[in-house]
Amino acid sequence: MKRIFRPLYLSLAFAFVLASCGTQQMVSTPVENIDKLPLKTTPVAEKDLQRWSHLDLVKDTLPGMSVDKAYAELLKGKKGKKVIVGIVDSGVDINHEDLKAVIWTNPKEIPGNGIDDDKNGYIDDIHGWNFLGDAVHEQLEMTRIVKKGPGTPEYDKAKAELEEELKGIQPQKQQLDFIVNAEKALVGYFKKNDFTLEEVKSIPATETSLSQAKAVFTQVLSNSTKADFDKQIEEFKDYIYGQVNYNLNVDFDGRKIVGDNPDDLQDTKYGNNNVVGPEPKEAKHGTHVAGIVAQVRGNKIGGDGVTNNAQIMTLRAVPNGDEYDKDIALAIRYAADNGAKVINGSFGKYYSQHKEWVMDAIKYAESKDVLVVIAAGNESYDLDVKNKYPNDTYDGSPEYAKNVLIIGALSPTYGTKMVASFSNYGKNNVDIYAPGDKIYATTPLNTYEYLQGTSMASPNVAGVATLIRSYYPSLTAVQVKQIIMESGTPLKNTVTIGEDKHKANFADASKSGRIVNAYNALVLAAKMAKK
């Protein structure tokens, strides 16, 4: 499935081209009245959009998590405990101006001496571990299954789906190639990369070889600046060519550079301590996720993290393609063994050859009192009928662990479109919803961007969980899950969900029927801690 923010914002961005504790109350208004709140019809101001996930549903009519309210009314003057949060992802820019102050440092390891000082099996693991080594691109899991050949479990299903994906991607690649070639032609004509709509329109009709390029960029630049186009085309090229060259390519071997056997869980001597990864830009996803949890609050740069007491432990295990079960299992175990109390997993796939390794790792994390927060996925699937890996249940079986939260994504629109159009859902297999659309946070090299996906919803919840564990450290991971589920704001309004965009009661879109609320969670945590 690739990193969980990817499929949607790239394809949507390019649609125009491809078309051609105290006595506080649990909620500040009665629950029965929340569904009757007036819808926000005016555009959201930029200053509010940048932090909409922290705003309050009642006060701001945006389905945020009431984080700002929690800090103002519940946490003011209080000092919490530092909590290590494991970010299992594509890597994190640990030198980012808004993150470097919150990066975990292994106190038992001496930097740069080439010795495994703490004897945990990882040499110089100062800020975590890179389980991918210098690898960047990878196949999807179904591609790996097809590559192994007939006799591999789910081979026939994977082969049929791979053929369908390849068939579907080719027209998009042809359109992209056409746009890229059109741009090359105009760059050659103008002798510069940056040209305007007026310049394109001024190309004389006698330049017949440029007629198609002129037509394409007349349309493009009528909807966008050239600078915006350049940014979008690069992202779209990364997606389309990444699919064709790596994700769906049975001949590609991304694991060769790592040097291990991904089908042998005991083969653990691989990877390195470069938790950013070999290409900083490829750490975009993980850097954004880390920022949602813990970018420094109140420093007037970038955005604000949900929690002010996190230490980010980086576990690079998610490539540009589907993650290997082995890497995820070992990353979860690393986090659990090295002090993490919350793990965020903004990744997932729909095939798994060694799901039991990840299941065992999650159960191991449960034994170590670690809460694991996982993104639900971005394909608009009903997870009650389709397995997504990892999860805490498959094929309708009972949950095998009690320390897992599966998170769906919300958009900054209260009402019918409140559930993000891309978000997976499920009355039994999605636990709760949190903001995941248009989320502003850190990206590599001291930059900040809006990204969207359940990948962004998951760390919002991981941040709330970290707040609870910071200010109420006596509570267990299982209790924190219970608090988040029970303290969320219950809603029963009609929403649009699924691939077919059908109408449903929001209460039936997840197990809890609620949206995460940090304020309510801290109030309930205080009561539970006293008991």
Side-chain angles (χ1 to χ4, degrees):
M1 185 167 57
K2 218 176 172 188
R3 297 168 202 158
I4 287 185
F5 81 120
R6 178 267 309 162
L8 94 129
Y9 89 94
L10 295 181
S11 56
L12 289 181
F14 244 75
F16 72 90
V17 175
L18 296 185
S20 48
C21 243
T23 59
Q24 291 89 352
Q25 299 298 310
M26 283 292 289
V27 287
S28 55
T29 193
V31 168
E32 62 270 17
N33 292 334
I34 288 179
D35 289 330
K36 300 174 184 177
L37 285 174
L39 304 185
K40 191 177 186 71
T41 56
T42 57
V44 181
E46 181 71 13
K47 65 180 179 62
D48 292 332
L49 187 63
Q50 285 190 358
R51 61 183 309 105
W52 79 266
S53 58
H54 294 208
L55 300 182
D56 181 74
L57 177 60
V58 174
K59 178 174 179 276
D60 306 296
T61 64
L62 291 167
M65 303 188 299
S66 304
V67 175
D68 290 346
K69 179 180 178 182
Y71 276 96
E73 299 181 20
L74 301 178
L75 301 179
K76 195 171 183 179
K78 293 185 178 181
K79 187 176 181 180
K81 177 183 177 183
K82 294 294 183 184
V83 177
I84 300 172
V85 181
I87 303 294
V88 181
D89 216 292
S90 65
V92 173
D93 181 358
I94 59 175
N95 299 308
H96 194 289
E97 62 183 3
D98 215 11
L99 287 176
K100 60 186 178 182
V102 298
I103 300 299
W104 172 75
T105 297
N106 186 346
K108 300 177 182 178
E109 196 74 18
I110 300 172
N113 66 355
I115 299 172
D116 181 13
D117 299 291
D118 58 4
K119 296 180 172 54
N120 67 353
Y122 302 92
I123 297 172
D124 287 340
D125 54 320
I126 306 302
H127 303 296
W129 196 250
N130 172 10
F131 290 92
L132 301 178
D134 290 333
V136 173
H137 302 289
E138 253 304 338
Q139 296 169 317
L140 299 186
E141 191 73 17
M142 67 178 176
T143 311
R144 297 177 196 139
I145 290 172
V146 173
K147 184 173 184 175
K148 287 185 175 181
T152 308
E154 295 197 283
Y155 171 81
D156 291 337
K157 178 185 175 185
K159 186 173 185 293
E161 186 170 338
L162 177 60
E163 290 174 350
E164 188 68 22
E165 288 286 336
L166 286 168
K167 182 180 178 181
I169 203 74
Q170 286 306 319
Q172 295 184 66
K173 181 179 180 298
Q174 290 171 2
Q175 289 173 315
L176 177 60
D177 289 342
F178 180 75
I179 294 166
V180 169
N181 289 332
E183 182 190 24
K184 286 180 180 178
L186 293 185
V187 168
Y189 177 77
F190 291 117
K191 308 299 182 187
K192 61 180 182 178
N193 184 63
D194 187 17
F195 45 84
T196 67
L197 176 60
E198 289 70 26
E199 287 174 316
V200 171
K201 287 181 174 180
S202 71
I203 297 174
T206 54
E207 295 286 349
T208 55
S209 64
L210 295 177
S211 59
Q212 288 185 321
K214 178 181 179 180
V216 168
F217 274 85
T218 297
Q219 179 185 2
V220 167
L221 297 179
S222 295
N223 295 279
S224 172
T225 66
K226 183 58 166 57
D228 286 342
F229 167 82
D230 289 342
K231 180 179 178 181
Q232 292 179 3
I233 197 72
E234 282 306 311
E235 293 171 340
F236 200 63
K237 282 194 290 187
D238 285 347
Y239 170 53
I240 296 295
Y241 296 147
Q243 289 272 291
V244 173
N245 296 332
Y246 310 118
N247 303 160
L248 306 176
N249 182 0
V250 293
D251 295 322
F252 178 68
D253 184 0
R255 198 65 176 191
K256 185 176 181 180
I257 194 172
V258 180
D260 73 315
N261 178 0
D263 293 316
D264 181 1
L265 188 61
Q266 305 308 312
D267 179 7
T268 60
K269 302 298 182 182
Y270 70 101
N272 59 47
N273 69 347
N274 177 14
V275 294
V276 182
E279 300 178 19
K281 72 172 186 176
E282 292 296 334
K284 179 177 182 177
H285 188 269
T287 302
H288 199 266
V289 166
I292 292 169
V293 176
Q295 56 195 338
V296 178
R297 291 186 62 85
N299 63 356
K300 297 183 179 179
I301 59 173
D304 284 344
V306 176
T307 175
N308 57 356
N309 278 323
Q311 293 183 319
I312 297 298
M313 173 192 288
T314 299
L315 293 316
R316 184 173 181 261
V318 183
N320 182 13
D322 276 348
E323 62 279 356
Y324 279 94
D325 296 319
K326 172 184 171 179
D327 296 337
I328 298 304
L330 293 177
I332 291 172
R333 287 177 177 273
Y334 178 102
D337 283 336
N338 289 278
K341 286 301 174 185
V342 177
I343 296 173
N344 185 80
S346 289
F347 54 82
K349 55 190 180 180
Y350 298 104
Y351 289 88
S352 175
Q353 297 186 67
H354 301 291
K355 70 178 185 293
E356 68 281 359
W357 293 352
V358 180
M359 292 169 67
D360 288 344
I362 288 174
K363 287 188 284 188
Y364 180 73
E366 182 181 21
S367 75
K368 293 280 190 174
D369 189 33
V370 183
L371 182 70
V372 182
V373 187
I374 299 173
N378 285 356
E379 282 67 39
S380 304
Y381 292 157
D382 181 352
L383 296 190
D384 291 351
V385 299
K386 186 176 184 68
N387 286 333
K388 180 251 173 194
Y389 305 93
N391 205 318
D392 53 4
T393 174
Y394 301 112
D395 301 315
S397 62
E399 293 181 356
Y400 62 81
K402 299 178 181 179
N403 64 323
V404 178
L405 276 167
I406 307 297
I407 312 301
L410 299 172
S411 291
T413 304
Y414 175 66
T416 305
K417 297 181 180 180
M418 187 174 68
V419 174
S421 61
F422 51 81
S423 182
N424 288 350
Y425 65 99
K427 187 172 180 59
N428 296 312
N429 286 328
V430 171
D431 289 315
I432 197 165
Y433 283 83
D437 188 8
K438 298 183 178 67
I439 304 299
Y440 190 72
T442 46
T443 45
L445 306 175
N446 296 335
T447 59
Y448 306 84
E449 290 186 32
Y450 289 100
L451 296 181
Q452 55 196 9
T454 55
S455 274
M456 284 64 243
S458 181
N460 266 317
V461 181
V464 173
T466 304
L467 271 182
I468 298 169
R469 305 213 78 170
S470 172
Y471 289 93
Y472 302 97
S474 65
L475 297 174
T476 67
V478 175
Q479 287 176 311
V480 172
K481 173 182 177 177
Q482 178 188 350
I483 287 167
I484 290 173
M485 294 274 284
E486 293 182 2
S487 67
T489 305
L491 297 175
K492 296 181 180 179
N493 49 305
T494 299
V495 292
T496 302
I497 57 175
E499 295 177 279
D500 59 354
K501 307 305 177 191
H502 65 275
K503 305 293 185 184
N505 190 310
F506 182 74
D508 296 324
S510 69
K511 183 177 290 188
S512 68
R514 299 169 186 256
I515 66 175
V516 171
N517 189 290
Y519 181 94
N520 295 352
L522 288 167
V523 172
L524 184 55
K527 293 178 180 178
M528 190 174 289
K530 286 180 181 178
K531 293 180 182 180

